[in-house]
Amino acid sequence: MLIQKPKGTFDILPEEANQRQHIEKKIRKILSNYNYDEICTPTFEKTSLFKRSIGEETDVVSKEMYSFNDDEFTLRPEMTAPVVRAYLENSMYNEFPVQKLFYFTNMFRHERPQAGRYREFYQYGVEVIGSNDYTVDAEVIALGLQVLKEFGIRDIVTKINNIGTLQERELFINDLKKYLTKYLKVLSLDSQRRFEKNPLRILDSKEPTDIEILENAPVLYEYLSEETKEFFTNLIELLKEMRIRFEVDYKLVRGFDYYTSTTFEVISDELGSQNAIFGGGRYDMLVEQLGGKPTPAIGFACGIERLMIVLNKSKYQYPQKERLKLYLVSIGEKARRFAIKTAIELRKKNFKCGTDLLVRSVKSQMKEANRLNAEYVIVIGSEELESNEARLKRMSDGIEIDVMVNKINELDYNID
Ligand code: AMP
């Protein structure tokens, strides 16, 4: 092996590709029921788009972006910023007052690879742009959870918080820093680094010492306005009415600067340290920050590989690959030519068929037909070609019937 794939990437081999297709199809159906439309954007964007929206001091922008051409462009590390860019650039606000959009695509982050964390990974996600009604928050959370439920995933915890507006956070961050100053030296190195540049993220620390210190820290919720608190209470009540189980976690802040108001994350213990399956929140200021009119919005992204890890652990039964309807066994060159032409004719009629591509013996061709789980087999040799008579064999019970060779491409392949 001369050259291997880059670290943190993976090949998707046929069996897994089939599984992914099944996952995608199922998720797309749910998204369609919720009335979301797909949006696709370029794989790379101007680097400034991500700097401006995600924030220069975040982990993603400060150390995880794949940037090139003198830093002008960057492979997308997430989709919210590109979707908002596309929304503005294509004046989508003129079309409908509320846009309900989804994507299903790959992302790139130069992270330290580990189980469930890759440098190229797939996400499906939604963005609802144009409404500040809390029912949207509930719908979006319900949608994400329904996807998990339809895959039979039950062992999850849904965490919800409200991180308020930038103004509401300002006073909190001041007080948080004041409180943390006396512990600065004992905080983890990551938290020490975040203290100056991104103190809110310290709340997210998984380090036991940090967690202990944070126990008596100021609580962000207490800094929220009555209006924000009422929004949060309404959302919580609605989620309860929907019988959604969740925990309020006042320390839940997410990794991107654009988040405001509602934040949420769904975690699974099956996932180890990278335990979030999906997460998101409101980003009510982002459209304006990118040059649009003030427009509230909310979204989330779900990692497909993490979803698959949980599915594999729960021994999820993926559907079987569609079986071959017919395998044409051929003996000799003339029959091989006949077999391939006939197979192509049948494929045009929507039958899944296979032929021998290795000039093998009848025995190994039959073996191949079995391996491919072919429903029917026809053996064609010079005799069959001459007499125009062959046998159609049903593999499940060995029943055979006579067929005319020149009518093979007109049969309906249903012996009953
Ligand atoms: P984020 O875009 O960081 O809010 O992440 C949303 C979801 O994407 C997470 O909950 C994960 O399921 C998934 N995800 C994020 N980063 C990675 C990664 N490096 N590798 C695999 N999945 C990821």
Side-chain angles (χ1 to χ4, degrees), residues 11 49 73-74 84 98 104 116 139 146 151 223 240 287 368 384 407:
D11 300 313
L49 174 70
F73 303 110
T74 293
V84 172
V98 181
F104 210 117
E139 177 186 290
Q146 189 186 329
F151 284 101
Y223 291 74
K240 283 182 183 160
V287 177
E368 175 80 345
E384 283 78 7
K407 294 274 190 288

Side-chain angles (χ1 to χ4, degrees), residues 10 60 64 77-79 103 107 109 111-112 114 116-123 254-256 258-259 265-266 271 274-280 300-307:
F10 47 82
V60 166
E64 295 172 4
E78 62 99 55
M79 267 298 265
Y103 54 83
M107 307 294 156
R109 292 184 197 170
E111 299 201 74
R112 198 167 44 79
Q114 61 183 98
R117 191 159 77 182
Y118 307 97
R119 291 184 169 172
E120 182 180 4
F121 57 97
Y122 287 74
Q123 286 183 336
R254 306 208 69 255
F256 306 149
Y258 52 62
Y259 283 119
E265 198 160 84
V266 173
L271 285 172
Q274 299 303 310
N275 62 359
I277 306 187
F278 75 86
F300 73 74
C302 174
I304 300 301
E305 291 72 34
R306 300 219 184 146
L307 183 67

